[in-house]
């Protein structure tokens, strides 16, 4: 997951060099991230349904194999078109691996340790923002962007060797058809929550994908670039740890409101804050903390409203995340041409306002479904400890 996350985020760090290498506009170069994200988002639920009969270890190794070869193809690409095609295959490899890895992690440990196992696996993505992406950016800054892709391939290869030698055969999960996987979208609570994830991540990555041109006034060298990315990823990691302690005590809807409002405010001042290093670092820290603060409350809401099909709705949330990244790449490219790179924050504010409205709609739908006064709803049973002894 660290390798997959690094691949997702590191392209933003070497985007100017990629654009220069292929002699394309930076907005066009940003579509490398767009194609990777959309391939992942669309293929993850499809692969999960089609390959339900494939042994888990075999599917993960196949996914990592495609992922590694696709990144090598990106590094060796003689033209931008071939680079774009290679990103689609990298997204396919990620789609084969990530959902399978999460499900496998939950099945190879005792039931009481499943949450911990999933948290460790997902932590690979967070660690990629704090370590993988900055390291890859520095590598690309000191040499050539193609070495960054070799770096990603090496991480994926190391992970594949670890799985090959250490992971035993894993029992196949029950087969769930693609139609059944998409059925939760008919629930308003799930639909509004997923739309919030989509809009929140679109607003977040609208600026991140074009980080190098939004902050070009302070990026004196590759080390400054890498340091800002470390700040972004580390602050997000800290937020995730902190939210894990309060989610059971504070309304997820209230947390989302605060997170999204702070995100919008940060993006609103970014055109000025990005002009000086000290203010840029402060803005990046707040942005990273709130940007990654979206996922915890969103996953909590989905698991709360649909506990029986938690893996399916969490998979849909992942798809919404990457569709948001896809949209961000396109919106950012358009925004650079219409507003200029330094003004992209204003466009992001508009997306976050929509996310706030969507989040409030999700919260209202969840509250209505929990109310015993609504026809068809049932008051929850008291906790086991509160029920009278038989």
């Amino acid at each position: 997951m660290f390798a997959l996350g690094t691949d997702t985020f590191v392209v933003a760090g070497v985007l100017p060099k990629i654009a220069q290498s292929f002699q394309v506009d930076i907005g066009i170069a940003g579509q490398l991230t767009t194609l990777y994200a959309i391939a992942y988002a669309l293929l993850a639920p499809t692969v999960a349904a089609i390959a339900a009969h494939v042994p888990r270890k075999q599917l993960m190794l196949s996914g990592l194999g495609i992922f590694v070869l696709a990144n090598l193809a990106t590094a060796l690409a003689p033209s931008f078109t071939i680079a774009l095609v290679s990103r689609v295959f990298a997204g396919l490899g990620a789609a084969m691996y990530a959902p399978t890895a999460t499900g496998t992690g939950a099945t190879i440990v005792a039931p009481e340790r499943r949450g911990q196992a999933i948290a460790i696996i997902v932590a690979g993505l967070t660690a990629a923002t704090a370590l993988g992406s900055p390291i890859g950016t520095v590598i690309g800054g000191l040499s050539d962007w193609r070495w960054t892709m070799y770096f990603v391939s090496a991480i994926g290869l190391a992970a594949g060797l670890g799985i090959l030698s250490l992971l035993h055969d894993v029992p196949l999960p029950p087969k769930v058809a693609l139609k059944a996987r998409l059925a939760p979208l008919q629930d308003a609570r799930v639909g509004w929550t997923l739309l919030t994830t989509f809009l929140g991540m679109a607003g977040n990555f609208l600026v991140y994908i074009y980080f190098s041109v939004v902050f070009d006034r302070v990026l004196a060298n590759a080390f400054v670039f890498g340091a800002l990315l470390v700040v972004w990823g580390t602050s997000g990691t800290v937020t995730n740890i902190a939210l894990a302690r309060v989610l059971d005590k504070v309304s997820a809807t209230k947390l989302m409101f605060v997170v999204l409002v702070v995100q919008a405010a940060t993006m609103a001042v970014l055109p000025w804050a990005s002009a000086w290093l000290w203010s840029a670092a402060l803005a990046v820290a707040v942005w990273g903390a709130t940007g990654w603060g979206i996922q915890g409350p969103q996953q909590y809401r989905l698991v709360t409203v649909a506990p029986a099909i938690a893996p399916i709705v969490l998979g849909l949330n992942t798809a919404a995340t990457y569709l948001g990244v896809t949209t961000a790449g396109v919106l950012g490219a358009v925004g650079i041409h219409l507003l200029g790179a330094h003004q992209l924050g204003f466009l992001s504010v508009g997306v976050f306002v929509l996310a706030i409205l969507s989040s409030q709609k999700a919260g209202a739908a969840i509250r209505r479904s929990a109310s015993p006064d609504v026809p068809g709803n049932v008051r929850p049973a008291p906790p086991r400890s509160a029920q009278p002894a038989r």
Side-chain angles (χ1 to χ4, degrees):
M1 294 297 280
F2 180 80
L4 270 56
T6 300
D7 201 28
T8 301
F9 306 122
V10 79
V11 171
V14 292
L15 205 56
K17 287 201 167 189
I18 294 176
Q20 182 180 9
S21 174
F22 291 119
Q23 297 182 338
V24 297
D25 182 83
I26 196 162
I28 299 297
Q31 303 318 301
L32 290 171
T33 297
T34 299
L35 284 181
Y36 175 85
I38 196 169
Y40 183 104
L42 297 180
L43 293 173
T46 306
V47 170
I50 294 175
H53 64 286
V54 179
R56 302 295 88 182
K57 183 175 180 178
Q58 179 182 331
L59 184 58
M60 283 191 286
L61 287 175
S62 299
L64 279 177
I66 293 173
F67 175 82
V68 169
L69 291 175
N71 276 282
L72 289 176
T74 304
L76 297 170
S79 68
F80 186 66
T81 301
I82 293 178
L84 287 174
V85 173
S86 71
R87 301 314 293 154
V88 174
F89 280 96
L92 169 62
M96 293 171 65
Y97 178 82
T100 310
T102 306
T104 299
T107 59
I108 61 177
V109 298
E112 63 272 14
R113 296 181 59 196
R114 285 176 180 170
Q116 181 184 1
I118 294 174
I120 291 172
I121 294 168
V122 175
L125 288 175
T126 309
T129 65
L131 291 175
S133 179
I135 292 173
T137 298
V138 171
I139 291 173
L142 295 178
S143 54
D144 186 278
W145 68 268
R146 298 177 189 273
W147 283 103
T148 299
M149 309 316 295
Y150 291 135
F151 166 67
V152 174
S153 298
I155 302 172
L157 179 61
L161 293 175
I163 290 174
L164 179 65
S165 60
L166 299 176
L167 183 67
H168 301 294
D169 290 332
V170 181
L172 286 174
K175 185 175 182 179
V176 181
L178 181 59
K179 183 178 180 180
R181 291 178 181 273
L182 299 178
L185 293 174
Q186 299 175 5
D187 187 326
R189 300 169 300 173
V190 174
W192 283 113
T193 301
L194 293 177
L195 180 60
T196 303
T197 294
F198 167 77
L199 292 169
M201 299 313 290
N204 195 17
F205 279 86
L206 196 155
V207 173
Y208 180 83
I209 291 173
Y210 301 101
F211 196 107
S212 57
V213 288
V214 173
F215 292 92
D216 60 355
R217 290 172 288 182
V218 299
L219 299 179
N221 53 56
F223 290 104
V224 174
F225 199 165
L228 286 178
L229 292 179
V230 168
V231 170
W232 188 76
T234 303
S235 58
T237 302
V238 172
T239 298
N240 278 332
I241 295 173
L243 285 179
R245 299 178 180 273
V246 302
L247 270 174
D248 288 321
K249 303 175 183 177
V250 182
S251 164
T253 301
K254 291 180 180 178
L255 283 175
M256 282 297 296
F257 180 78
V258 172
V259 165
L260 291 171
V261 167
V262 174
Q263 273 279 71
T266 304
M267 292 296 111
V269 302
L270 201 58
W272 298 279
S274 61
W276 297 276
L277 184 58
W278 69 270
S279 56
L282 180 60
V284 167
V286 176
W287 170 28
T290 51
W292 285 107
I294 291 174
Q295 290 294 343
Q298 287 293 92
Q299 292 174 350
Y300 185 88
R301 288 206 283 198
L302 288 169
V303 171
T304 300
V305 302
I309 53 171
I312 293 176
V313 292
L314 290 178
L316 291 173
N317 189 65
T318 300
T321 296
Y322 279 88
L323 284 175
V325 175
T326 299
T327 304
V330 176
L331 283 178
V334 174
I336 288 175
H337 285 283
L338 296 181
L339 304 175
H342 298 156
Q343 315 303 320
L344 273 186
F346 292 142
L347 185 57
S348 183
V349 170
V351 178
F352 279 122
V353 169
L354 294 177
I356 292 170
L357 296 175
S358 176
S359 179
Q360 294 302 109
K361 282 280 192 179
I366 293 171
R367 287 193 298 272
R368 283 197 302 270
S369 68
S371 173
D373 299 325
V374 176
N377 287 340
V378 179
R379 185 180 298 276
R384 186 181 300 273
S385 58
Q387 296 179 0
R390 294 181 183 271

